[in-house]
Amino acid sequence: MKTQIEEQEIVTLTDQGIREVEGSPLWNDDLRPTTKQEHNWSGYNFSALWIGMCICIPTYTLASGMIGLGMNWWQAIGTIFLGNLIIMIPILLNAHAGTKFGIPYPVFARLWFGSKGAHIPALARAIVAAGWFGINAWFGGGALDALITAFYRGWDHVPMHTGIVFLLFWGLNMYIAYRGPQAIRKLGAFSAPILAVLAVALLIWAFTTAGGWGPMLSSPSKFQTTGEFMKVFWPSLTGVISFWATLALNIPDFCRYAASQKSQARAQLLSMPTTMALFSFIGVAVTSATVVIFGKAIWDPVQLLTKFPPVVVLIGAIGIVLASVTINVGANLVAPARAIENLWPRRITFGIGAIITGMIAIAMQPWYILENFGNYIFGWLGTYGALLGPIDGIAIADYWLVRRRRMHLVELYKPNGRYSYSSGFNKSGVFALVIGMVASLLGLVVPGLSFLWDNAWTVGLFVAILAYWWMMKNDSSGLTEMEYTAITEIRHPLELEEAEVPV
């Protein structure tokens, strides 16, 4: 009996397939595979999503840390562009699985860790995302606080005024997230053009007001030798890669709605690396101009906003709020909400998972973390890169090398199905994760091997790929081409065209 249909590289369940698992404790309306009608995200939607997520305060300030470490402007921007091209590879590889089979990240993780073990990578990604959510909510709240202060001078004397606005902004994020990923698509389509225009306007203001780019773009690199540069380049590159290492894992949460493989891949490849590099350049250039205009470098756009008249503050605050909401809901709420939902699918919905994520973000105290923002960005990014790199590697090895892009959708929702392994845990996935992490950690404890930690994400990724593939290459959970054909009704384009012609 056919339980799934493959049509133009997109697989959906048949009515028979749905009937087999719709009563399963691993199934609910948010975690089920998407239907053919729900594959409605165009290339523009993905471009808008990435533009909205990239135009954010952490991107704006990303190059600042590298310049502070001694790079010149083009070395910093080049490092950012290269890092984003590298992370785009696992993003696109994992996006293929989400697009083809219409499954979210926690369900995808059942393939590599088992029906119960999937909580390990899902919650690992969720904790990181919750931290980022709190940080961006704090930034967005700061922009609103500056806006209110600009129009009401007595506001800064109100006790806990920043905390009050932070909670209001947090609530706005919760409202949008509660409405689900389709609301995020609409938000991205609306905010991306506005954010792009505001970014260009800020760049024009900086150039015309300062009479040029200022001293930073003319400052030479502080490194005298290639060796000196490489000591800073490698950990910086790892930080850039880790910046989107979270999205490399849960990109199926969005690509499960893609209309086609070609549209999502092309849109993501063109939009993300270029937007990150361009917006980082705007951050460097505008900050360079502030040295000339205000006599000091102002890297924080919220602080820069306070230097303008109230009308400009209003426009700028709208931009920062849109940027913070877009990246927060898109990049930092979907994955943890899905992970929490996956803990108890029959009771916890996506909306409830989003609210729990928001509570965790507050508990992580973003105001305290941001007291040392530079160490947070580069130190913490590198640290969780050592955790997420191996998980990325396991996901890629499983889908492309072990299963060869074939899976049995119905079995993903059975507690004792093909992908439950031993008591719900795939020990090969757990072992590969540990091996990948240990390989990076050796760089912290063994003299002469520091390059392993400086490149923690990359090292963990490749070590985990090899370890997982070696342990799983002959595993019985894999589908042969004959087994896949037996459960899948494959519809070819020619057959579809003939079916649409009226008789």
Side-chain angles (χ1 to χ4, degrees):
M1 181 69 69
K2 307 287 187 178
T3 59
Q4 56 193 42
I5 300 170
E6 180 178 331
E7 181 179 322
Q8 296 179 318
E9 292 190 276
I10 290 178
V11 178
T12 55
L13 285 176
T14 64
D15 291 340
Q16 173 62 31
I18 294 173
R19 283 194 294 269
E20 286 189 25
V21 290
E22 61 183 348
S24 167
L26 298 179
W27 170 285
N28 71 13
D29 196 51
D30 293 317
L31 296 176
R32 62 167 174 77
T34 46
T35 64
K36 182 180 178 181
Q37 291 72 27
E38 289 172 322
H39 280 273
N40 55 16
W41 283 38
S42 65
Y44 174 78
N45 293 129
F46 285 100
S47 295
L49 177 71
W50 274 113
I51 291 172
M53 291 194 298
C54 291
I55 300 180
C56 63
I57 296 176
T59 302
Y60 184 95
T61 59
L62 188 60
S64 65
M66 299 179 197
I67 291 176
L69 292 172
M71 292 186 185
N72 59 31
W73 73 269
W74 62 263
Q75 288 172 336
I77 302 304
T79 301
I80 290 170
F81 184 72
L82 177 60
N84 283 285
L85 280 181
I86 292 172
I87 194 61
M88 184 51 64
I89 296 172
I91 285 175
L92 293 180
L93 290 176
N94 288 332
H96 190 284
T99 301
K100 182 172 182 178
F101 291 97
I103 53 175
Y105 169 60
V107 176
F108 187 33
R110 293 173 189 172
L111 283 169
W112 356 302
F113 278 81
S115 56
K116 295 180 180 178
H119 299 315
I120 297 172
L123 291 176
R125 196 273 181 242
I127 292 172
V128 173
W132 274 117
F133 172 80
I135 288 171
N136 279 282
W138 187 254
F139 277 137
L144 283 177
D145 195 48
L147 173 62
I148 297 172
T149 302
F151 286 92
Y152 173 50
R153 292 298 177 183
W155 176 251
D156 56 352
H157 298 298
V158 175
M160 301 291 293
H161 61 92
T162 303
I164 293 171
V165 179
F166 163 70
L167 289 176
L168 289 173
F169 184 73
W170 177 90
L172 174 64
N173 282 263
M174 289 293 97
Y175 172 74
I176 295 173
Y178 191 83
R179 299 183 63 184
Q182 293 291 3
I184 300 168
R185 175 176 69 100
K186 296 176 183 178
L187 174 67
F190 169 75
S191 65
I194 296 175
L195 295 173
V197 169
L198 289 176
V200 172
L202 183 62
L203 187 64
I204 293 172
W205 166 83
F207 182 82
T208 55
T209 307
W213 298 128
M216 288 188 186
L217 295 190
S218 60
S219 299
S221 171
K222 297 178 182 179
F223 305 113
Q224 301 300 317
T225 65
T226 302
E228 290 180 1
F229 172 72
M230 288 299 174
K231 289 181 180 179
V232 172
F233 169 75
W234 290 119
S236 297
L237 183 67
T238 295
V240 174
I241 292 171
S242 299
F243 193 89
W244 291 119
T246 51
L247 259 293
L249 282 174
N250 82 289
I251 193 65
D253 286 330
F254 303 101
C255 287
R256 62 194 296 237
Y257 301 104
S260 70
Q261 294 285 6
K262 181 183 292 186
S263 64
Q264 62 86 4
R266 182 168 51 194
Q268 293 191 88
L269 183 59
L270 291 176
S271 60
M272 192 273 268
T274 52
T275 304
M276 284 291 290
L278 287 173
F279 196 60
S280 295
F281 173 77
I282 290 175
V284 172
V286 172
T287 304
S288 175
T290 62
V291 177
V292 178
I293 299 168
F294 302 111
K296 64 177 181 178
I298 303 176
W299 287 105
D300 186 346
V302 174
Q303 291 184 16
L304 179 60
L305 199 60
T306 62
K307 304 290 185 181
F308 290 92
V311 174
V312 179
V313 174
L314 173 62
I315 297 172
I318 291 172
I320 292 176
V321 168
L322 277 175
S324 297
V325 170
T326 303
I327 189 174
N328 238 11
V329 179
N332 301 324
L333 262 181
V334 172
R338 290 277 189 237
I340 293 169
E341 178 185 19
N342 193 47
L343 292 173
W344 198 359
R346 307 300 292 182
R347 296 289 185 182
I348 301 176
T349 64
F350 175 85
I352 294 174
I355 293 174
I356 295 174
T357 300
M359 300 302 294
I360 294 173
I362 292 177
M364 294 180 74
Q365 303 180 71
W367 51 89
Y368 175 77
I369 295 174
L370 289 177
E371 285 183 354
N372 197 331
F373 186 68
N375 283 345
Y376 175 77
I377 285 291
F378 294 101
W380 195 52
L381 281 176
T383 299
Y384 81 64
L387 170 64
L388 298 187
I391 300 177
D392 272 321
I394 291 168
I396 293 168
D398 184 275
Y399 181 70
W400 290 92
L401 301 179
V402 175
R403 308 200 188 280
R404 300 180 184 274
R405 296 176 294 165
R406 296 188 291 263
M407 68 176 80
H408 195 320
L409 279 178
V410 166
E411 294 295 315
L412 278 171
Y413 296 90
K414 292 182 177 180
N416 298 308
R418 190 183 197 101
Y419 307 117
S420 291
Y421 304 99
S422 176
S423 301
F425 289 88
N426 181 9
K427 295 179 181 178
S428 296
V430 177
F431 291 154
L433 173 59
V434 173
I435 293 170
M437 292 178 62
V438 169
S440 301
L441 290 171
L442 286 175
L444 287 178
V445 297
V446 179
L449 295 181
S450 60
F451 69 92
L452 294 175
W453 182 255
D454 290 342
N455 299 277
W457 181 88
T458 306
V459 170
L461 176 93
F462 284 106
V463 170
I465 285 177
L466 292 173
Y468 186 83
W469 171 77
W470 184 79
M471 288 185 284
M472 288 287 293
K473 58 184 177 180
N474 296 316
D475 192 81
S476 61
S477 66
L479 285 174
T480 65
E481 188 171 353
M482 184 178 297
E483 288 174 320
Y484 181 75
T485 304
I487 62 169
T488 309
E489 178 184 340
I490 300 176
R491 297 179 179 178
H492 300 287
L494 183 59
E495 296 173 354
L496 295 171
E497 290 176 9
E498 292 175 348
E500 292 171 357
V501 176
V503 178

